[in-house]
Amino acid sequence: MLVVSSGSAQGVQRQNHKLTDQEGWKLQQVVRRGSTSSVRYRWAMMLPASAGGNTVSVIARLVAADDDTVLDVIHRFNKIGLTCLEPHEEPPAVACPLRPASAECLR
């Protein structure tokens, strides 16, 4: 089992979630096979890197993200497990009002 630790960029541990063998296998599968979602792929790379003892700033450089994003993913994993890799529902975007058709378009 690996431990995924969340902490500040200085590496202070706040909370730990043990990464089970099954979770490790699933993360390897996402990373090795690739994913249709680049975000899911990058998130799957963050968790084993954290479990390996890397600091937040090192992980952020590895996946080209900022420190806050890495912390958010780790905190979310600690809270809900691998479900954090699934896309979460965003509120629907407000539709932009259509511009009135110009007279030139109607001809």
Side-chain angles (χ1 to χ4, degrees):
M1 277 190 200
L2 298 172
V3 176
V4 177
S5 61
S6 61
S8 67
Q10 291 80 25
V12 178
Q13 291 187 356
R14 293 187 197 147
Q15 182 179 4
N16 293 328
H17 175 94
K18 292 188 179 188
L19 193 61
T20 65
D21 292 337
Q22 186 177 14
E23 289 171 331
W25 177 80
K26 179 65 175 172
L27 291 169
Q28 279 184 347
Q29 186 179 23
V30 170
V31 171
R32 286 184 181 166
R33 291 185 181 172
S35 175
T36 56
S37 167
S38 62
V39 172
R40 185 173 190 228
Y41 175 81
R42 290 166 63 196
W43 287 359
M45 288 181 59
M46 290 178 194
L47 300 173
S50 176
N54 294 300
T55 62
V56 170
S57 58
V58 169
I59 297 168
R61 279 182 273 155
L62 172 72
V63 297
D66 66 326
D67 292 358
D68 290 335
T69 302
V70 174
L71 281 174
D72 290 344
V73 171
I74 293 170
H75 285 289
R76 193 159 182 230
F77 175 75
N78 286 335
K79 188 175 182 181
I80 62 174
L82 284 179
T83 308
C84 72
L85 296 179
E86 301 303 321
H88 50 282
E89 293 296 319
E90 295 290 329
V94 177
C96 297
L98 297 175
R99 288 186 256 167
S102 66
E104 293 176 13
C105 293
L106 297 176
R107 291 183 189 175

